[in-house]
Amino acid sequence: MLDTAVARSATIAGELVMHTNTASDLLQEVRARLRRARRVFVLTGAGVSAESGVPTFRGGGNAAVWKGMPFSLISSAEMLERDLPAVWEWFDYRRDALKDLQPNPAHHALAKMQDNLDSFALGTQNIDDLHTRAGSRGVLELHGNIWRARCTRCQARIDLRTADEGERPPACRTCGAPMRPDVVLFGEMLPAGVFERAAAAAMRCDLCFVVGTSALVYPAMQLPEIALQAGAYIVEINPEQTPFSDRCHATLQGRAGEVLKAVTSDG
Ligand code: BJW
């Protein structure tokens, strides 16, 4: 159980109009915690990019489907083994959908939060690069980056924004083996050291934000739990309840852009 001073699940509605004192009080409490915080850790998920136009994976209770395949199959290690060209097709489709999208106020607010703190770490499950494009530094990309490919044999990497010659799958320029999207598929390990760095930041932080994630996917979902166990104050920002909501000290129910802007505003 959390301590009795916990105020949670006040609704920060639609356009962030404060309908209740409770919602406003809770926002003020989170802002005060942020002003006092020495070390902040943030975990983000697909909901942070939703306001940029990136579809979430599990929106409205439905899982994303592409060409009749659930994303849990097309984005899996099993599919990579079975049909690498299909996996390329799926990620080419995703890159094409992403190419004109821009960071939104949630990404910008987190970059601003980092500017104002000596110790800040951002772990993201997103592969879209929008945090970095908004100015966040040292982003811990837990699930890789859709704009990179890596060799299936020697692990050499290329930047698909500058070095994509259109061949599918691309042949590695170092060893000639086929390349694959540099993302973490179901059934694969996270990139060496990245989870460990995120876990160390979660362990040290005194304030942790969990933003726009359904908190369902292992091992990323362990990070806020690590922060909680280490004594941090946990704030969830999400329009919906998640399996982790009841573990948080504060749940700011709303869209990430609006809520984070309010949390980080100077006024
Ligand atoms: C808003 C909003 C707004 C909307 N503002 N919010 C059984 C038990 C435990 C674990 C497993 C198990 N069976 C299998 C596993 C392991 C598996 C796993 O966790 N599965 C669970 C789903 C059951 N995990 C793995 O395989 C991981 N690797 C691993 O465990 O290695 C060890 C191992 C190796 C070998 C064998 C066994 C173990 C790797 C996981 C990699 C996941 N990768 C994906 C796909 C990446 C590539 C791609 O993009 O296609 O990453 S899955 C997908 O889910 C994607 C996301 O990063 C990830 C998390 O999703 P996220 O970000 O939370 O998005 P959504 O859509 O779920 O939620 C969006 C949220 O936003 C919602 O809450 C909305 O309400 C909210 N929202 N609008 C704020 N405006």
Side-chain angles (χ1 to χ4, degrees):
M1 284 297 289
L2 300 173
D3 62 82
T4 51
V6 169
R8 52 171 307 277
S9 290
T11 297
I12 295 187
E15 277 111 45
L16 204 58
V17 176
M18 299 302 154
H19 290 301
T20 67
N21 285 339
T22 319
S24 176
D25 290 349
L26 187 55
L27 178 61
Q28 293 313 322
E29 167 69 16
V30 171
R31 284 164 53 102
R33 295 257 177 190
L34 180 57
R35 281 195 298 274
R36 292 199 301 272
R38 291 158 58 87
R39 288 178 286 275
V40 171
F41 174 70
V42 182
L43 174 68
T44 65
V48 158
S49 294
E51 290 156 72
S52 294
V54 184
T56 61
F57 295 92
R58 301 171 182 84
N62 295 316
V65 171
W66 182 73
K67 293 198 169 179
M69 277 177 280
F71 80 94
S72 54
L73 176 61
I74 188 72
S75 281
S76 71
E78 180 194 338
M79 187 56 91
L80 194 85
E81 283 286 308
R82 207 200 298 169
D83 195 344
L84 181 58
V87 173
W88 269 102
E89 202 186 331
W90 160 235
F91 283 99
D92 281 339
Y93 163 79
R94 304 262 300 278
R95 257 190 306 282
D96 191 54
L98 273 173
K99 67 181 187 312
D100 297 324
L101 303 185
Q102 302 301 325
N104 67 55
H107 301 106
H108 290 299
L110 289 171
K112 176 176 166 183
M113 193 187 283
Q114 181 171 25
D115 290 343
N116 293 326
L117 284 157
D118 292 332
S119 175
F120 176 92
L122 170 58
T124 187
Q125 299 168 85
N126 300 344
I127 60 176
D128 55 31
D129 211 25
L130 290 174
H131 283 301
T132 301
R133 284 184 50 206
S136 290
R137 278 117 31 223
V139 178
L140 297 166
E141 292 178 323
L142 297 160
H143 293 166
N145 188 311
I146 196 169
W147 298 103
R148 281 194 314 258
R150 80 167 192 270
C151 177
T152 52
R153 185 190 299 148
C154 75
Q155 309 299 318
R157 289 179 164 79
I158 58 167
D159 184 336
L160 291 167
R161 280 172 294 211
T162 54
D164 187 358
E165 287 166 3
E167 182 190 12
R168 291 293 178 266
C172 174
R173 289 176 201 163
T174 307
C175 76
M179 301 195 89
R180 54 163 289 175
D182 193 12
V183 300
V184 182
L185 303 169
F186 278 117
E188 295 187 320
M189 304 300 281
L190 272 53
V194 176
F195 181 79
E196 289 73 8
R197 269 180 277 155
M203 182 91 74
R204 291 195 294 270
C205 75
D206 46 31
L207 179 59
C208 170
F209 290 93
V210 188
V211 192
T213 176
S214 56
L216 289 170
V217 174
Y218 175 90
M221 68 187 226
Q222 291 178 317
L223 293 166
E225 186 63 37
I226 289 171
L228 178 66
Q229 295 300 330
Y233 184 86
I234 316 289
V235 181
E236 179 177 64
I237 299 175
N238 198 313
E240 307 289 336
Q241 290 278 112
T242 75
F244 194 67
S245 301
D246 288 339
R247 312 276 296 147
C248 299
H249 295 92
T251 300
L252 299 177
Q253 278 190 298
R255 287 150 53 101
E258 293 158 359
V259 178
L260 277 168
K261 225 166 118 182
V263 166
T264 55
S265 71
D266 302 320

